[in-house]
Structure formats: structure tokens, C-alpha cells
Amino acid sequence: DIQMTQSPSSLSASVGDRVTITCRASQDISNYLAWYQQKPGKVPNLLIYTSSTLQSGVPSRFSGSGSGTDFTLTISSLQPEDVGTYYCQKYDSDPWTFGQGTKVEIK
Amino acid sequence: EVQLLESGGGLVHPGGSLTLSCAASGFTFSAYAMNWVRQAPGKGLEWVSTVQTPPNIFYADSVKGRFTISRDYSKSTVYLQMNSLRADDTALYYCTKDQGRGRGFHIWGRGTMVTVSS
């Protein structure tokens, strides 16, 4: 099965900083990658699908890029409400594996 | 409004069984794949199972042979029958709706907690 590896596992940044999270697939998954945000105590929320398409209602400071095996989620200007854990997920074929998550905190 | 409401969680002994339900509303249930995703306490998300339409079915290796997903179109409900439960099945189980055409899981229920303990 294809493994999904996120880095870093956690990060701490200041409000207004540009934040980048990386997700690497162990094999080519084309652009079948989604990103989710899970705020503390809340249900996960879909941010981005097909690697770079912003889900309706998601702030434009979130963006995604990549294809094949290497993907990136970028928050252009970190806001206090962005605190939470971010997960990538492959969905080219089963299993629809999630990455292990990246916890984002405010410094 | 699109809604997913899970039920059926609870405390069960190792080796026991439990059936989770997810009642869907606000969309054409027959047109979308449905999924179960779980999250152990303090841990990350783990995809568990998917039932597509037509009903192609998929399972994570960790539950294959023990869990069965199904859907009742007349009740707009998806089920997860869980047998031979183990301690590592303890988790919050989320029902999710696929957005369709490869666009991710865009609707999540609030989850139902399953605790496997003696």
C-alpha cells in the first residue's frame, strides 16, 4: 500500500507567518490528494482537493500544490483561528490513507 | 442542509460486536459514496471503509474480515457492522460523505464513540 508521510509533525509560528506543510506519497498518486483541517475538539474540515483546488468557503490564504509524490499545503499568513492539526489524504485508489498529521500552533 | 448523524457507539468487551448507523439527509443519498473514518483518542485520522454507488466496497486492512459496511437506500442510512472487536478499535467513528468525482470527503458527522474494554 502507498504510505503518506507528512512533515513536520508539528510547528509553531507567529501570526502573519507563511507556513508550509509537506506530504509525500510513497508512489505516484497523480493529483489525487486532499487536505483537511481539524481544529481542537472539532470535526475535520475539507480544505483542498485534487491537490490545489480550494473547497468552497475556505479562506484564500490556504493553497495547495504538487503532483505525483510531493505535495504542499501553504498558509500564506497564519491566523489564530488556523490552530489545529492538518492531514493529507490520498484518494487515487483504496486504501484512502491519511497522513499522520501536522499540528500547527501559534508562537 | 446536508447532515450526517451517527449512532450506535458504546462500550463493548473485546471480541464483541457493535453496529454503527449513519443517517443521511439533505442530499441524494443514492448518488454518493459514503465512508467511515475513525480517530483513536489523541491520534490521527484512519480511513476505515467506503461504499460506493454502485456498491463497490473497500476496507482498511486493519478491519478487513471483521467489519462490514452496507447502505440502505430506502432509509438513507449507512451501517458499519463491527465484529471481533479489539482494544485498538477504540476510537471516535466518523461517517463522511464523498463530494463526488474525486473531490474528497466534504461532509463529516459528529462521530460516535466506540470503546472496547474489559
Side-chain angles (χ1 to χ4, degrees), chain B:
Chain B
E1 181 188 3
V2 176
Q3 284 192 325
L4 301 174
L5 184 60
E6 303 98 332
S7 61
L11 174 63
V12 60
H13 293 310
S17 299
L18 210 56
T19 298
L20 307 183
S21 301
C22 170
S25 61
F27 64 97
T28 304
F29 180 73
S30 60
Y32 296 94
M34 299 295 294
N35 319 277
W36 289 96
V37 175
R38 68 185 181 183
Q39 187 168 35
K43 303 297 184 182
L45 302 174
E46 179 186 15
W47 170 77
V48 173
S49 184
T50 291
V51 56
Q52 296 177 334
T53 174
N56 297 314
I57 287 174
F58 305 90
Y59 298 101
D61 286 345
S62 58
V63 307
K64 203 170 291 183
R66 300 186 300 122
F67 289 13
T68 302
I69 193 171
S70 61
R71 62 195 299 169
D72 184 332
Y73 292 96
S74 67
K75 296 181 179 180
S76 296
T77 298
V78 62
Y79 302 96
L80 186 68
Q81 181 180 344
M82 305 185 295
N83 297 327
S84 303
L85 283 162
R86 312 185 302 222
D88 62 358
D89 294 316
T90 294
L92 184 62
Y93 284 72
Y94 293 106
C95 174
T96 79
K97 172 187 174 293
D98 198 289
Q99 189 164 214
R101 292 181 288 171
R103 295 181 295 164
F105 299 173
H106 75 132
I107 302 294
W108 295 62
R110 291 189 151 190
T112 187
M113 186 68 200
V114 173
T115 303
V116 184
S117 175
S118 54

Side-chain angles (χ1 to χ4, degrees), chain A residues 36 38 43 55 89 91 96, chain B residues 39 47 99 102-103 105 108:
Chain A
Y36 299 84
Q38 186 175 31
V43 173
Q55 175 69 5
Q89 182 199 24
Y91 57 92
W96 283 267
Chain B
Q39 187 168 35
W47 170 77
Q99 189 164 214
R103 295 181 295 164
F105 299 173
W108 295 62

Side-chain angles (χ1 to χ4, degrees), chain A residues 24-75:
Chain A
R24 175 163 289 176
S26 59
Q27 296 177 42
D28 190 335
I29 60 169
S30 184
N31 65 341
Y32 293 105
L33 186 101
W35 289 98
Y36 299 84
Q37 174 195 59
Q38 186 175 31
K39 296 182 179 182
K42 300 296 186 182
V43 173
N45 181 47
L46 176 66
L47 296 177
I48 287 169
Y49 57 89
T50 55
S51 175
S52 60
T53 305
L54 202 64
Q55 175 69 5
S56 176
V58 174
S60 59
R61 64 180 178 273
F62 292 93
S63 65
S65 64
S67 67
T69 60
D70 294 313
F71 302 87
T72 299
L73 173 70
T74 299
I75 308 173

